Tab-separated table of all heavy atoms in Angstrom:
chain	number	residue	atom	x	y	z
A	151	ASN	N	-1.216	10.537	-21.591
A	151	ASN	CA	-0.713	11.180	-22.902
A	151	ASN	C	0.795	11.359	-22.796
A	151	ASN	O	1.204	12.540	-23.095
A	151	ASN	CB	-1.517	12.406	-23.231
A	151	ASN	CG	-2.900	12.100	-23.593
A	151	ASN	OD1	-3.351	10.940	-23.864
A	151	ASN	ND2	-3.835	13.058	-23.479
A	152	GLU	N	1.631	10.520	-22.384
A	152	GLU	CA	2.964	10.546	-22.264
A	152	GLU	C	3.520	11.483	-21.180
A	152	GLU	O	4.680	11.699	-21.062
A	152	GLU	CB	3.691	10.877	-23.624
A	152	GLU	CG	3.317	9.797	-24.687
A	152	GLU	CD	3.943	10.155	-26.006
A	152	GLU	OE1	4.683	11.110	-26.088
A	152	GLU	OE2	3.702	9.441	-26.913
A	153	ARG	N	2.621	12.025	-20.352
A	153	ARG	CA	3.034	12.887	-19.189
A	153	ARG	C	2.917	12.132	-17.941
A	153	ARG	O	1.825	11.601	-17.696
A	153	ARG	CB	2.180	14.185	-19.284
A	153	ARG	CG	2.545	15.254	-18.236
A	153	ARG	CD	1.683	16.452	-18.441
A	153	ARG	NE	1.725	17.083	-17.171
A	153	ARG	CZ	0.760	18.013	-16.740
A	153	ARG	NH1	-0.292	18.264	-17.519
A	153	ARG	NH2	0.886	18.636	-15.598
A	154	ARG	N	3.994	12.155	-17.167
A	154	ARG	CA	3.900	11.527	-15.863
A	154	ARG	C	3.137	12.234	-14.806
A	154	ARG	O	3.422	13.488	-14.695
A	154	ARG	CB	5.333	11.222	-15.356
A	154	ARG	CG	5.458	10.338	-14.091
A	154	ARG	CD	6.890	10.105	-13.771
A	154	ARG	NE	7.025	9.127	-12.652
A	154	ARG	CZ	6.994	9.419	-11.451
A	154	ARG	NH1	6.907	10.692	-10.976
A	154	ARG	NH2	7.240	8.440	-10.550
A	155	PHE	N	2.284	11.645	-14.109
A	155	PHE	CA	1.469	12.302	-12.961
A	155	PHE	C	1.827	11.511	-11.648
A	155	PHE	O	1.937	10.309	-11.655
A	155	PHE	CB	-0.020	12.260	-13.247
A	155	PHE	CG	-0.450	13.300	-14.122
A	155	PHE	CD1	-0.381	13.124	-15.537
A	155	PHE	CD2	-0.884	14.492	-13.685
A	155	PHE	CE1	-0.804	14.038	-16.469
A	155	PHE	CE2	-1.315	15.506	-14.611
A	155	PHE	CZ	-1.234	15.221	-15.959
A	156	GLU	N	2.025	12.214	-10.659
A	156	GLU	CA	2.221	11.699	-9.321
A	156	GLU	C	1.282	12.506	-8.356
A	156	GLU	O	1.402	13.708	-8.244
A	156	GLU	CB	3.604	11.844	-8.878
A	156	GLU	CG	3.980	11.189	-7.587
A	156	GLU	CD	5.475	11.077	-7.250
A	156	GLU	OE1	6.217	10.844	-8.205
A	156	GLU	OE2	5.723	11.327	-6.052
A	157	ILE	N	0.257	11.694	-7.747
A	157	ILE	CA	-0.699	12.339	-7.021
A	157	ILE	C	-0.593	11.761	-5.539
A	157	ILE	O	-0.725	10.589	-5.370
A	157	ILE	CB	-2.087	12.185	-7.485
A	157	ILE	CG1	-2.239	12.737	-8.858
A	157	ILE	CG2	-3.119	12.850	-6.657
A	157	ILE	CD1	-3.499	12.406	-9.574
A	158	LYS	N	-0.214	12.660	-4.604
A	158	LYS	CA	-0.066	12.263	-3.226
A	158	LYS	C	-1.608	12.313	-2.587
A	158	LYS	O	-2.441	13.153	-2.731
A	158	LYS	CB	0.709	13.234	-2.486
A	158	LYS	CG	2.207	13.297	-2.960
A	158	LYS	CD	3.106	12.548	-2.117
A	158	LYS	CE	4.452	12.831	-2.627
A	158	LYS	NZ	5.293	11.777	-2.543
A	159	ASN	N	-1.726	11.207	-1.789
A	159	ASN	CA	-3.116	10.950	-1.056
A	159	ASN	C	-4.334	11.303	-2.065
A	159	ASN	O	-5.045	12.210	-1.644
A	159	ASN	CB	-3.148	11.925	0.096
A	159	ASN	CG	-2.030	11.605	1.095
A	159	ASN	OD1	-1.740	10.403	1.468
A	159	ASN	ND2	-1.288	12.670	1.602
A	160	PRO	N	-4.395	10.509	-3.015
A	160	PRO	CA	-5.568	10.736	-4.033
A	160	PRO	C	-6.923	10.463	-3.322
A	160	PRO	O	-7.016	9.565	-2.460
A	160	PRO	CB	-5.298	9.921	-5.183
A	160	PRO	CG	-4.503	8.775	-4.548
A	160	PRO	CD	-3.582	9.342	-3.525
A	161	ASP	N	-7.829	11.115	-3.769
A	161	ASP	CA	-9.204	10.995	-3.189
A	161	ASP	C	-9.767	9.691	-3.826
A	161	ASP	O	-9.856	9.655	-5.064
A	161	ASP	CB	-10.134	12.168	-3.624
A	161	ASP	CG	-11.565	12.000	-3.124
A	161	ASP	OD1	-11.970	10.881	-2.626
A	161	ASP	OD2	-12.264	12.980	-3.416
A	162	PRO	N	-10.115	8.666	-3.024
A	162	PRO	CA	-10.521	7.420	-3.597
A	162	PRO	C	-11.894	7.451	-4.264
A	162	PRO	O	-12.286	6.593	-5.000
A	162	PRO	CB	-10.639	6.390	-2.281
A	162	PRO	CG	-10.614	7.306	-1.216
A	162	PRO	CD	-10.045	8.571	-1.611
A	163	SER	N	-12.643	8.552	-4.096
A	163	SER	CA	-13.941	8.683	-4.743
A	163	SER	C	-13.823	9.463	-6.071
A	163	SER	O	-14.888	9.449	-6.768
A	163	SER	CB	-14.942	9.382	-3.781
A	163	SER	OG	-14.593	10.771	-3.624
A	164	ARG	N	-12.682	9.967	-6.405
A	164	ARG	CA	-12.481	10.760	-7.639
A	164	ARG	C	-12.486	9.884	-8.782
A	164	ARG	O	-11.730	8.841	-8.855
A	164	ARG	CB	-11.353	11.607	-7.565
A	164	ARG	CG	-11.167	12.606	-8.739
A	164	ARG	CD	-10.029	13.579	-8.427
A	164	ARG	NE	-10.167	14.736	-9.290
A	164	ARG	CZ	-9.226	15.560	-9.540
A	164	ARG	NH1	-8.089	15.521	-8.878
A	164	ARG	NH2	-9.413	16.570	-10.333
A	165	LEU	N	-13.284	10.118	-9.887
A	165	LEU	CA	-13.309	9.400	-11.112
A	165	LEU	C	-12.275	9.950	-12.106
A	165	LEU	O	-11.945	11.149	-12.050
A	165	LEU	CB	-14.656	9.318	-11.649
A	165	LEU	CG	-15.818	8.703	-10.833
A	165	LEU	CD1	-17.155	9.013	-11.453
A	165	LEU	CD2	-15.485	7.219	-10.735
A	166	LEU	N	-11.879	9.041	-12.947
A	166	LEU	CA	-10.944	9.488	-14.010
A	166	LEU	C	-11.402	10.572	-14.834
A	166	LEU	O	-10.689	11.540	-15.196
A	166	LEU	CB	-10.529	8.212	-14.844
A	166	LEU	CG	-9.561	8.426	-16.053
A	166	LEU	CD1	-8.322	9.035	-15.691
A	166	LEU	CD2	-9.399	7.129	-16.819
A	167	ILE	N	-12.730	10.566	-15.258
A	167	ILE	CA	-13.240	11.557	-16.018
A	167	ILE	C	-13.222	12.986	-15.294
A	167	ILE	O	-12.953	13.916	-15.990
A	167	ILE	CB	-14.752	11.237	-16.514
A	167	ILE	CG1	-15.401	12.239	-17.460
A	167	ILE	CG2	-15.657	11.276	-15.217
A	167	ILE	CD1	-14.903	12.061	-18.869
A	168	ASP	N	-13.427	12.922	-14.047
A	168	ASP	CA	-13.271	14.282	-13.393
A	168	ASP	C	-11.880	14.811	-13.364
A	168	ASP	O	-11.619	15.988	-13.445
A	168	ASP	CB	-13.812	14.026	-11.999
A	168	ASP	CG	-15.322	13.653	-11.899
A	168	ASP	OD1	-16.064	14.115	-12.752
A	168	ASP	OD2	-15.680	12.880	-11.040
A	169	PHE	N	-10.915	13.984	-13.288
A	169	PHE	CA	-9.587	14.241	-13.344
A	169	PHE	C	-9.170	14.842	-14.664
A	169	PHE	O	-8.652	15.870	-14.892
A	169	PHE	CB	-8.639	13.105	-12.960
A	169	PHE	CG	-7.119	13.430	-13.031
A	169	PHE	CD1	-6.455	14.194	-12.069
A	169	PHE	CD2	-6.491	12.970	-14.098
A	169	PHE	CE1	-5.147	14.558	-12.156
A	169	PHE	CE2	-5.137	13.270	-14.237
A	169	PHE	CZ	-4.406	14.073	-13.220
A	170	LEU	N	-9.579	14.129	-15.784
A	170	LEU	CA	-9.296	14.587	-17.038
A	170	LEU	C	-9.809	15.906	-17.416
A	170	LEU	O	-9.101	16.708	-18.030
A	170	LEU	CB	-9.672	13.546	-18.124
A	170	LEU	CG	-9.184	12.136	-18.019
A	170	LEU	CD1	-9.892	11.239	-19.065
A	170	LEU	CD2	-7.666	12.199	-18.333
A	171	ARG	N	-10.969	16.243	-17.046
A	171	ARG	CA	-11.752	17.444	-17.403
A	171	ARG	C	-11.437	18.550	-16.459
A	171	ARG	O	-11.920	19.704	-16.526
A	171	ARG	CB	-13.152	17.256	-17.546
A	171	ARG	CG	-13.488	16.194	-18.806
A	171	ARG	CD	-15.032	15.965	-19.007
A	171	ARG	NE	-15.568	17.245	-19.243
A	171	ARG	CZ	-15.720	17.713	-20.513
A	171	ARG	NH1	-15.072	17.218	-21.505
A	171	ARG	NH2	-16.352	18.903	-20.624
A	172	SER	N	-10.673	18.321	-15.297
A	172	SER	CA	-10.456	19.298	-14.293
A	172	SER	C	-9.623	20.504	-14.893
A	172	SER	O	-8.979	20.388	-15.800
A	172	SER	CB	-9.677	18.636	-13.157
A	172	SER	OG	-8.394	18.308	-13.579
A	173	LYS	N	-9.645	21.526	-14.112
A	173	LYS	CA	-8.921	22.689	-14.505
A	173	LYS	C	-7.382	22.448	-14.563
A	173	LYS	O	-6.631	22.929	-15.360
A	173	LYS	CB	-9.216	23.941	-13.555
A	173	LYS	CG	-10.437	24.517	-13.782
A	173	LYS	CD	-10.642	25.669	-12.906
A	173	LYS	CE	-12.159	26.218	-13.052
A	173	LYS	NZ	-12.386	27.293	-12.121
A	174	GLU	N	-6.945	21.584	-13.627
A	174	GLU	CA	-5.459	21.246	-13.492
A	174	GLU	C	-4.961	20.483	-14.753
A	174	GLU	O	-3.782	20.582	-15.026
A	174	GLU	CB	-5.219	20.531	-12.276
A	174	GLU	CG	-5.943	19.177	-12.173
A	174	GLU	CD	-5.935	18.632	-10.864
A	174	GLU	OE1	-4.904	18.167	-10.205
A	174	GLU	OE2	-7.106	18.469	-10.134
A	175	VAL	N	-5.928	19.681	-15.446
A	175	VAL	CA	-5.509	18.902	-16.620
A	175	VAL	C	-5.959	19.463	-17.832
A	175	VAL	O	-5.328	19.497	-18.855
A	175	VAL	CB	-5.859	17.468	-16.398
A	175	VAL	CG1	-5.588	16.541	-17.512
A	175	VAL	CG2	-5.303	16.947	-15.106
A	176	GLY	N	-7.331	19.735	-17.945
A	176	GLY	CA	-8.005	20.513	-19.010
A	176	GLY	C	-8.248	19.623	-20.245
A	176	GLY	O	-8.156	20.174	-21.445
A	177	LEU	N	-8.227	18.350	-20.201
A	177	LEU	CA	-8.510	17.468	-21.360
A	177	LEU	C	-9.904	17.395	-21.511
A	177	LEU	O	-10.584	16.357	-20.978
A	177	LEU	CB	-7.731	16.198	-21.280
A	177	LEU	CG	-6.190	16.374	-21.169
A	177	LEU	CD1	-5.535	14.949	-21.041
A	177	LEU	CD2	-5.641	16.958	-22.461
A	178	THR	N	-10.582	18.149	-22.297
A	178	THR	CA	-12.019	18.137	-22.469
A	178	THR	C	-12.496	17.292	-23.692
A	178	THR	O	-13.710	17.227	-23.952
A	178	THR	CB	-12.648	19.500	-22.555
A	178	THR	OG1	-11.997	20.206	-23.660
A	178	THR	CG2	-12.236	20.286	-21.291
A	179	GLY	N	-11.586	16.659	-24.447
A	179	GLY	CA	-12.044	15.849	-25.524
A	179	GLY	C	-12.762	14.686	-25.181
A	179	GLY	O	-13.676	14.077	-25.861
A	180	THR	N	-12.455	14.080	-23.877
A	180	THR	CA	-13.210	13.017	-23.228
A	180	THR	C	-14.393	13.572	-22.636
A	180	THR	O	-14.364	14.504	-21.856
A	180	THR	CB	-12.362	12.235	-22.249
A	180	THR	OG1	-11.237	11.815	-22.831
A	180	THR	CG2	-13.095	11.046	-21.676
A	181	LYS	N	-15.603	13.149	-23.127
A	181	LYS	CA	-16.905	13.729	-22.746
A	181	LYS	C	-17.557	12.993	-21.565
A	181	LYS	O	-17.423	11.792	-21.411
A	181	LYS	CB	-17.724	13.787	-23.898
A	181	LYS	CG	-17.335	14.539	-25.204
A	181	LYS	CD	-16.881	15.901	-24.871
A	181	LYS	CE	-16.486	16.633	-26.342
A	181	LYS	NZ	-15.455	17.438	-26.173
A	182	LEU	N	-18.392	13.666	-20.882
A	182	LEU	CA	-19.219	13.106	-19.820
A	182	LEU	C	-20.631	13.234	-20.261
A	182	LEU	O	-21.167	14.398	-20.420
A	182	LEU	CB	-19.084	13.693	-18.476
A	182	LEU	CG	-19.938	13.117	-17.330
A	182	LEU	CD1	-19.783	11.722	-17.123
A	182	LEU	CD2	-19.802	13.932	-15.983
A	183	SER	N	-21.347	12.137	-20.602
A	183	SER	CA	-22.625	12.256	-21.051
A	183	SER	C	-23.636	11.571	-20.185
A	183	SER	O	-24.234	12.119	-19.269
A	183	SER	CB	-22.736	11.668	-22.575
A	183	SER	OG	-24.072	11.811	-23.006
Side-chain angles (χ1 to χ4, degrees):
N151 296 339
E152 300 181 3
R153 181 176 161 203
R154 186 177 191 271
F155 281 85
E156 187 173 319
I157 301 172
K158 301 254 187 221
N159 299 314
D161 178 354
S163 67
R164 192 172 193 192
L165 296 173
L166 178 57
I167 188 76
D168 297 327
F169 176 76
L170 295 175
R171 296 182 60 82
S172 68
K173 289 181 183 178
E174 63 197 292
V175 179
L177 297 175
T178 58
T180 303
K181 309 297 188 215
L182 177 61
S183 183

